[in-house]
Amino acid sequence: YELAEECADDDEDKKAIRNLRKYVQAKLKSHDSLVREWGFELPEERSLTNATVKYTDFLSATASGRIEGERVPGKLATPFEKTKVSAYTLGAIAPCMRLFAFINKEIQALLDPNDSTHIYKKWIDHYCSENFEAYAFRIEELLDTLSISLTGEELDVIEKLYHQSMRLEVDFFSSQPIIQEAVVPLSHTLDPAVGGELSIFCDFDLTCTAFDSSAILAEIAIITRPKADPDGSETQLARMSSADLRSTWDALSAQYTEEFEQCVESITTTETAETFSYEGLCEALEQFAHFEKAANSRVVHSGVLKGLNQEDIKRAGQRLILQDGCKGFIQKIMKNENLTAAIHVLSYCWCGDLIRSALSSGDVKALNVHSNELSCEDSTTTGEIIKKLESPMEKLQAFNNILNNRDKDGRHLTVYIGGSVGDLLCLLEADIGIVMGSSPTLRRLGEQFGISFVPLFSGLVAKQREVVEVGSSNWKRLSGTLYTVSSWDEIHAFILGSSS
């Protein structure tokens, strides 16, 4: 703050930065007394972790004008060059305050508001207070003020500094010593030396992808429709215009949506179970099994998927829009030499080649894909679907078959990540079931049969308390409880740690 104040040109800006510095000085003085209230004494010689050094060095370099991305780093010849360093410095400091405020509010929400005996209550209350929130806002407002005259290129520098600072701050928290058994990251709880093995299962459509893959395959068929069969004879499909083909697909899609909603309505009009009812859920999902199989049969009969080239499908897979962080997470798991892990994709998708090309990379081992396939002759689809997974029960059977083939020795953990009704049985069977996104149908159906949906973060806190108080680190949940996440970054942090 002192260096930023020196660089600022406007007197009001200097005063604002000075006030921020005074706040920090006051907080530093209060730390000693607060630590003594907790029953500790600060050591005379303080050792710094590597993460702390990296962060403070980064802040010092930024405030001194040594900024990566600047054309002439370290050269502050003109008043304007000095002024923008103030903005850069505030951009590097702001994430620290915002992250402190965020983390403490998350913690406060998990504490009993009537418990005044919590050892860190004063600390948490301070960082959740309106005063601290106002302090964080003042930094951000001042950053906006200092950035008014900056160019687009210079604003890009601030953005990079902000992101770098946030990463270093997260690393600082992650590097703190843990003196008790911890439930995260999950990869640390599985020691390969004693046979620890992690099996990760995930759905594909709307879990890994942003769109349903069936529409992608239909679009390829419409764009690249064949003109004739390989033997030269013209077919009904060949005579259809692209407009007619699209009309056929639209009709199939509309019928699928209508019957899906009817299926959900017929199930959820029954009385809601007071407790978790696995048998009732399985009986209800039988209706989805008949529905999915009938829908697939209609697609085959229509001939819409006839004449696709396998190379076109693979290229489409490579261009498929995936959920942010999904592919990176999968490839980090597969490359991690310190973790004995396998990833299996269980999907209703009609084409395994599409999944493999979307998620795999040339420098990683083969991905385990369990899905339907499109029948091919000479690299061209016949329109038939080789049906392997068409129902929640078939998914569960595939899930159990994979687990039965594992080495029976050592400690095994299973994680299932899914977001659709077809994933419910596998989500419940896994040690840890994680629901991606906020599918209203999945929640509605789950709650109908007594399934509880718990945000992953609060669920981890509850599990950590169990480990501390009872000493149990068994991840098998109470029947009928699933964890919810909104992004793959949350799953990355849970399984591999925070450095996403």
Side-chain angles (χ1 to χ4, degrees):
Y1 279 130
E2 188 173 356
L3 290 169
E5 182 185 340
E6 289 176 3
C7 288
D9 183 52
D10 183 83
D11 288 341
E12 287 299 314
D13 293 341
K14 283 181 176 290
K15 182 180 178 180
I17 296 172
R18 191 178 310 124
N19 288 335
L20 293 173
R21 179 159 60 95
K22 288 178 179 178
Y23 175 88
V24 173
Q25 289 171 331
K27 285 306 301 173
L28 287 172
K29 289 178 181 177
S30 72
H31 282 183
D32 284 6
S33 60
L34 194 56
V35 168
R36 289 191 181 94
E37 284 184 30
W38 294 338
F40 302 105
E41 290 289 339
L42 288 173
E44 292 182 6
E45 293 185 5
R46 303 180 189 183
S47 58
L48 299 178
T49 66
N50 188 47
T52 305
V53 172
K54 282 185 177 179
Y55 191 31
T56 54
D57 283 355
F58 164 75
L59 290 177
S60 296
T62 302
S64 301
R66 301 190 302 275
I67 299 158
E68 187 178 347
E70 277 289 87
R71 292 178 179 175
V72 190
K75 183 180 180 181
L76 304 176
T78 67
F80 178 73
E81 285 173 343
K82 292 183 65 176
T83 300
K84 67 182 179 182
V85 169
S86 290
Y88 291 161
T89 304
L90 269 291
I93 291 175
C96 177
M97 302 303 106
R98 182 51 56 197
L99 189 60
F100 257 85
F102 171 78
I103 289 175
N104 279 277
K105 283 189 175 180
E106 292 288 314
I107 293 172
Q108 190 181 52
L110 297 163
L111 299 179
D112 181 355
N114 299 317
D115 181 9
S116 60
T117 63
H118 194 287
I119 185 173
Y120 301 124
K121 179 173 173 55
K122 185 185 293 186
W123 176 274
I124 294 167
D125 286 348
H126 166 71
Y127 284 107
C128 293
S129 67
E130 292 183 4
N131 287 340
F132 186 79
E133 185 76 13
Y135 172 60
F137 273 124
R138 282 201 299 275
I139 296 173
E140 291 162 348
E141 288 171 353
L142 182 55
L143 174 59
D144 287 341
T145 300
L146 293 168
S147 302
I148 288 174
S149 60
L150 299 186
T151 65
E153 186 177 295
E154 289 160 348
L155 291 174
D156 287 342
V157 172
I158 290 183
E159 182 178 1
K160 290 175 183 176
L161 289 170
Y162 191 99
H163 289 166
Q164 174 69 358
S165 178
M166 185 65 81
R167 284 193 295 270
L168 290 169
E169 181 74 2
V170 169
D171 288 344
F172 163 77
F173 281 110
S174 302
S175 71
Q176 301 311 307
I178 299 173
I179 58 174
Q180 59 191 20
E181 183 181 355
V183 299
V184 290
L186 196 64
S187 56
H188 289 184
T189 69
L190 291 171
D191 186 354
V194 294
E197 183 178 346
L198 176 64
S199 295
I200 299 176
F201 298 81
C202 69
D203 185 28
F204 183 65
D205 289 323
L206 304 180
T207 297
C208 295
T209 69
F211 303 97
D212 190 289
S213 65
S214 60
I216 304 296
L217 291 168
E219 191 65 26
I220 299 171
I222 292 167
I223 294 172
T224 64
R225 70 191 189 284
K227 295 181 179 178
D229 272 347
D231 61 3
S233 62
E234 200 173 48
T235 65
Q236 181 181 357
L237 179 64
R239 290 194 297 272
M240 291 173 66
S241 67
S242 60
D244 289 338
L245 199 54
R246 188 176 297 281
S247 178
T248 300
W249 172 251
D250 288 345
L252 289 169
S253 298
Q255 186 175 357
Y256 180 94
T257 301
E258 181 181 353
E259 292 186 3
F260 180 84
E261 291 173 354
Q262 290 173 354
C263 196
V264 173
E265 284 300 321
S266 66
I267 292 171
T268 53
T269 52
T270 59
E271 187 177 346
T272 301
E274 294 184 4
T275 58
F276 175 53
S277 174
Y278 186 78
E279 293 76 11
L281 176 64
C282 290
E283 186 177 331
L285 290 177
E286 287 286 355
Q287 297 185 46
F288 281 97
H290 298 310
F291 156 72
E292 290 286 356
K293 290 179 180 181
N296 282 343
S297 295
R298 286 196 298 269
V299 170
V300 171
H301 181 72
S302 73
V304 167
L305 296 178
K306 184 176 182 179
L308 280 74
N309 184 280
Q310 283 184 307
E311 290 304 313
D312 289 335
I313 293 172
K314 291 176 183 177
R315 280 192 288 271
Q318 292 166 1
R319 296 192 295 269
L320 206 59
I321 299 174
L322 301 176
Q323 301 276 12
D324 287 345
C326 171
K327 188 171 183 178
F329 167 76
I330 289 174
Q331 293 189 4
K332 282 185 179 180
I333 288 285
M334 296 174 74
K335 290 179 180 179
N336 194 323
E337 297 179 354
N338 299 318
L339 180 65
T340 303
I343 293 186
H344 299 267
V345 179
L346 272 61
S347 174
Y348 289 169
C349 176
W350 293 327
C351 184
D353 282 341
L354 186 76
I355 297 174
R356 281 181 281 270
S357 62
L359 297 179
S360 297
S361 180
D363 58 348
V364 298
K365 56 191 176 186
L367 189 68
N368 301 300
V369 174
H370 314 265
S371 72
N372 303 303
E373 297 287 354
L374 292 176
S375 174
C376 291
E377 290 180 3
D378 299 325
S379 300
T380 302
T381 60
T382 65
E384 294 289 330
I385 299 174
I386 302 173
K387 301 168 184 176
K388 299 178 182 178
L389 295 179
E390 294 185 284
S391 72
M393 284 64 71
E394 289 178 358
K395 266 197 173 187
L396 180 60
Q397 185 61 55
F399 175 88
N400 286 327
N401 288 343
I402 293 165
L403 296 187
N404 290 335
N405 289 328
R406 289 189 312 186
D407 183 1
K408 298 299 187 292
D409 298 326
R411 183 187 180 195
H412 301 292
L413 273 175
T414 57
V415 177
Y416 191 97
I417 307 161
S420 64
V421 170
D423 297 312
L424 269 172
L425 296 182
C426 291
L427 285 164
L428 292 165
E429 187 66 25
D431 293 317
I432 306 166
I434 299 177
V435 177
M436 171 67 71
S438 56
S439 166
T441 305
L442 183 145
R443 281 182 172 269
R444 183 180 173 189
L445 189 64
E447 290 167 356
Q448 177 78 21
F449 295 97
I451 296 174
S452 300
F453 296 90
V454 180
L456 179 61
F457 177 67
S458 55
L460 292 178
V461 173
K463 175 59 66 174
Q464 184 64 54
R465 284 175 174 156
E466 178 187 325
V467 170
V468 173
E469 295 169 7
V470 184
S472 169
S473 58
N474 180 13
W475 266 102
K476 194 67 178 179
R477 307 166 322 285
L478 292 173
S479 294
T481 304
L482 301 176
Y483 298 114
T484 60
V485 298
S486 59
S487 72
W488 279 90
D489 284 342
E490 290 181 71
I491 298 174
H492 188 293
F494 168 46
I495 294 177
L496 290 176
S498 61
S499 54
S500 178

